[in-house]
Amino acid sequence: MVEAPQTAEGWFSLHDFRSIDWDAWREAPESERERAIEEGEAFLKHRELVADADDGESALFSVLGHKADLLCLHFRPSLDDLSAIERRFEDTALAKFTERETSYVSVTEVSGYVSDDYFEAGADAVDEGLRRYIEGKLKPDIPDEEYVSFYPMSKRRGEEHNWYDLEFEERAELMASHGEVGKEYAGKIKQVIASSVGFDEHEWGVTLFGADPTDIKDIVYEMRFDPASSRYGEFGDFYVGRRFPPTDLDAFLAGETVPTGRVPERDSAGHPHGGGGHGDEGGHHGDEGSHHGDDGHGRGEGHDRSGAGGGPAHGDHPHGDGDAGEGDHPHGEGGGHGEEGGHDGDGADDEDIRGELADLDIYAGKPHGEDVYATVLYSEADTEELFDEVEGLRGNFDHYGTHVKTAVYEGRHTDRAAVVSIWDTASAAETAGGFLSELPDIVARAGEESGFGTMGMFYTVKPDYQSEFVETFDDVGDLLGEMDGHVETDLMVNVEDENDMFIASQWNAKEDAMGFFRSDEFSETVQWGRDVLADRPRHVFLA
């Protein structure tokens, strides 16, 4: 018997496609239409706020063409949660003006093509980057205000080409090749693949998100020429639309372009007006103002962000389809770990450390009036090979205004290199990590190797002082080696610019590192650095 890949499942998914009965809508009294809008908006807001479950995601899209008018997309931990959503919608005044054209039920999935170690030895056996990638695939975030394309697909079981007759190694090779096409769309396309085997007519449901709808067309077109699709792919109907906030429901029904970009009115308590409705879908949305954006699309700071798109769009997906950047407006900008902070830090720790360094007359502020965020992964691969891989990704990252810089830094005292990707927002840096985790021989992620990890600051040295700066660091390194709580420190140098470098340092605890920052030796180094640096050190947060 041919070996079936192991699978892991996450959230259940419902794609609910609705059409509007426009004749009934036009003929309805104004008061009835107002009630339908109020109750529909309230229902949809509650879904986006996930007021009906402990976890999940929801989004509303307009759909182009004759197949439907609206798509309500829901991810929830259980099928029962989705069933409750269906019933509650039918209890709204809006439901009588809609007809369900079709729906699709599935569950998010990763398979054995991603990582044998993950299935054989468990999540702790894989590196942090891959683990976050897998978590992002199983519990996906939905991009904000992006175009969407949904289609179901199956693997062919024909007389000449039967996917399920192929050996595992051959299937894995085909999917790896498929993934290489997807990598070309890093930062342009995010995808969610969910298994519908036993749930619906096809075997998988594929949802693609992108800021430019032609990118969606292009990735599907290119993949049609790949053998995994050309020989073995069978597809259902395609649906295309664009996300808009529930507060624009009235504009959508009035024939206006959505999203409108307007900010909803707020009451005296700061909550968006939401109208009446009955039951728990009524006009009280007291939890809306706490951690979500004005239009209900925002993300709270507690959401973990992970790469989950841009890779193979069809079927059993290999490790290789993380998403990066998510356009120029990623979901919230929740605080990441401070650049001086360990993996258990938070925003308050970041500010505390900045304050302490400032009190010591050590620059710890913003370089140009803004915060930036970094994802840093360490690799033991050959530096030239690593740089070639990074250069390809960087070309895609540069399409996004939130991208500041991505570079490879070589260690001087360690046998590894660092890949650093800096972004204007924490979520963009975090999702870029989904792609970077695919790079060869990744062994660690900054901030997660010890009790307290510090990135130091990014330094740009005047060329005439480069060698002197390096020698001075070596002297400081000797001092570090004698300090309690010190684990490892290295001065890492940009392979493209020897004058651009940063210090990566590991400590047992925050207080151990702060003891060094308070030392006279470090203070003297800081004062000397003011003369040899071409610019002030760039202080970043780890995403």
Side-chain angles (χ1 to χ4, degrees):
M1 180 176 176
V2 175
E3 178 186 358
Q6 299 182 71
T7 63
E9 290 72 35
W11 286 342
F12 291 85
S13 170
L14 172 65
H15 290 68
D16 187 0
F17 292 93
R18 300 266 172 171
S19 63
I20 305 294
D21 185 341
W22 294 109
D23 289 337
W25 182 255
R26 283 186 291 267
E27 294 170 1
E30 184 67 23
S31 59
E32 194 172 334
R33 286 189 288 176
E34 288 180 355
R35 182 186 176 204
I37 290 171
E38 288 181 350
E39 293 186 13
E41 181 180 325
F43 170 86
L44 294 166
K45 281 183 178 180
H46 268 65
R47 303 291 78 73
E48 286 203 348
L49 292 170
V50 195
D52 53 11
D54 293 335
D55 219 336
E57 289 276 339
S58 285
L60 175 66
F61 301 85
S62 63
V63 178
L64 283 76
H66 71 283
K67 301 188 193 82
D69 294 310
L70 293 172
L71 163 61
C72 298
L73 172 59
H74 308 286
F75 294 105
R76 292 295 186 275
S78 73
L79 283 175
D80 288 345
D81 294 328
L82 296 179
S83 177
I85 289 174
E86 289 185 295
R87 296 193 304 272
R88 288 175 182 173
F89 177 76
E90 295 300 333
D91 196 35
T92 69
L94 178 64
K96 66 174 289 186
F97 295 102
T98 73
E99 181 178 348
R100 173 179 274 176
E101 294 295 341
T102 189
S103 63
Y104 206 83
V105 178
S106 54
V107 61
T108 58
E109 173 189 82
V110 294
S111 72
Y113 300 113
V114 174
S115 168
D116 290 335
D117 290 340
Y118 180 82
F119 290 95
E120 297 298 331
D124 292 338
V126 300
D127 65 70
E128 182 66 18
L130 177 56
R131 186 160 58 248
R132 290 190 183 212
Y133 165 85
I134 291 173
E135 290 172 357
K137 300 296 290 183
L138 297 178
K139 299 178 180 181
D141 290 317
I142 302 174
D144 188 14
E145 297 182 1
E146 300 285 0
Y147 290 94
V148 66
S149 174
F150 171 78
Y151 58 94
M153 60 84 57
S154 297
K155 290 299 187 184
R156 184 166 292 140
R157 295 189 295 274
E159 293 183 6
E160 180 180 2
H161 296 298
N162 188 332
W163 178 260
Y164 297 96
D165 278 343
L166 301 178
E167 295 296 330
F168 177 88
E169 291 75 14
E170 187 173 356
R171 281 179 276 128
E173 183 177 348
L174 285 166
M175 293 312 302
S177 173
H178 206 53
E180 290 302 313
V181 179
K183 286 181 180 180
E184 297 175 10
Y185 291 84
K188 296 180 183 180
I189 296 295
K190 176 179 179 178
Q191 69 166 355
V192 176
I193 296 179
S195 174
S196 48
V197 175
F199 293 161
D200 223 307
E201 182 177 358
H202 288 79
E203 295 169 343
W204 289 275
V206 181
T207 311
L208 304 177
F209 304 90
D212 185 342
T214 61
D215 288 334
I216 294 175
K217 178 194 75 71
D218 289 344
I219 189 174
V220 175
Y221 178 70
E222 286 193 45
M223 285 186 167
R224 287 295 173 94
F225 291 89
D226 186 81
S229 291
S230 64
R231 296 177 192 169
Y232 299 102
E234 295 181 342
F235 304 91
D237 288 338
F238 282 68
Y239 296 80
V240 64
R242 193 180 186 189
R243 184 170 183 175
F244 70 95
T247 50
D248 281 351
L249 181 62
D250 58 342
F252 170 81
L253 292 169
E256 298 177 19
T257 300
V258 292
T260 63
R262 68 190 181 190
V263 178
E265 297 179 5
R266 308 183 80 84
D267 61 23
S268 59
H271 302 149
H273 290 298
H278 42 267
D280 68 346
E281 314 303 338
H284 60 282
H285 309 299
D287 57 350
E288 290 182 23
S290 60
H291 62 279
H292 290 76
D294 292 345
D295 64 358
H297 287 180
R299 298 289 183 267
E301 292 183 1
H303 283 260
D304 179 34
R305 304 214 35 91
S306 191
H314 311 130
D316 297 317
H317 43 292
H319 186 204
D321 55 349
D323 177 38
E326 298 183 333
D328 292 347
H329 49 276
H331 306 310
E333 298 179 14
H337 300 307
E339 165 267 304
E340 305 294 348
H343 61 276
D344 56 351
D346 56 26
D349 287 340
D350 298 334
E351 294 306 317
D352 290 345
I353 292 170
R354 285 183 183 231
E356 290 185 55
L357 295 178
D359 291 342
L360 295 170
D361 197 26
I362 300 169
Y363 178 70
K366 304 174 184 178
H368 304 295
E370 88 284 354
D371 285 320
V372 289
Y373 301 80
T375 290
V376 181
L377 296 170
Y378 297 111
S379 171
E380 293 181 349
D382 176 78
T383 304
E384 290 186 7
E385 175 190 357
L386 185 65
F387 177 78
D388 288 342
E389 295 277 350
V390 170
E391 194 171 26
L393 287 175
R394 184 168 61 185
N396 290 327
F397 292 169
D398 285 340
H399 288 291
Y400 297 90
T402 50
H403 181 231
V404 177
K405 153 185 187 178
T406 296
V408 176
Y409 291 78
E410 192 168 19
R412 296 176 59 251
H413 297 294
T414 56
D415 293 328
R416 65 184 187 179
V419 180
V420 178
S421 193
I422 303 176
W423 299 75
D424 284 333
T425 61
S427 58
E430 182 66 34
T431 53
F435 283 110
L436 299 177
S437 67
E438 310 271 339
L439 293 169
D441 298 329
I442 295 295
V443 294
R445 183 169 180 147
E448 296 172 339
E449 298 177 276
S450 61
F452 184 83
T454 171
M455 282 280 296
M457 298 177 188
F458 285 84
Y459 300 92
T460 302
V461 184
K462 295 176 182 177
D464 290 344
Y465 289 94
Q466 199 275 344
S467 59
E468 189 175 354
F469 184 88
V470 171
E471 291 174 3
T472 300
F473 169 79
D474 290 340
D475 293 338
V476 173
D478 293 339
L479 173 66
L480 288 171
E482 300 172 358
M483 296 194 68
D484 293 336
H486 176 254
V487 178
E488 180 183 74
T489 295
D490 196 6
L491 179 67
M492 310 199 79
V493 181
N494 190 333
V495 298
E496 297 172 272
D497 180 4
E498 66 175 4
N499 299 310
D500 174 22
M501 56 194 75
F502 74 89
I503 297 173
S505 191
Q506 300 294 325
W507 301 79
N508 289 333
K510 169 188 170 183
E511 190 55 34
D512 295 325
M514 292 307 299
F516 170 65
F517 295 139
R518 298 187 190 104
S519 69
D520 292 339
E521 291 84 354
F522 185 72
S523 178
E524 291 171 3
T525 303
V526 169
Q527 296 303 322
W528 172 79
R530 288 182 168 92
D531 296 326
V532 305
L533 297 181
D535 198 358
R536 303 187 84 180
R538 184 156 210 172
H539 185 104
V540 303
F541 288 105
L542 284 181

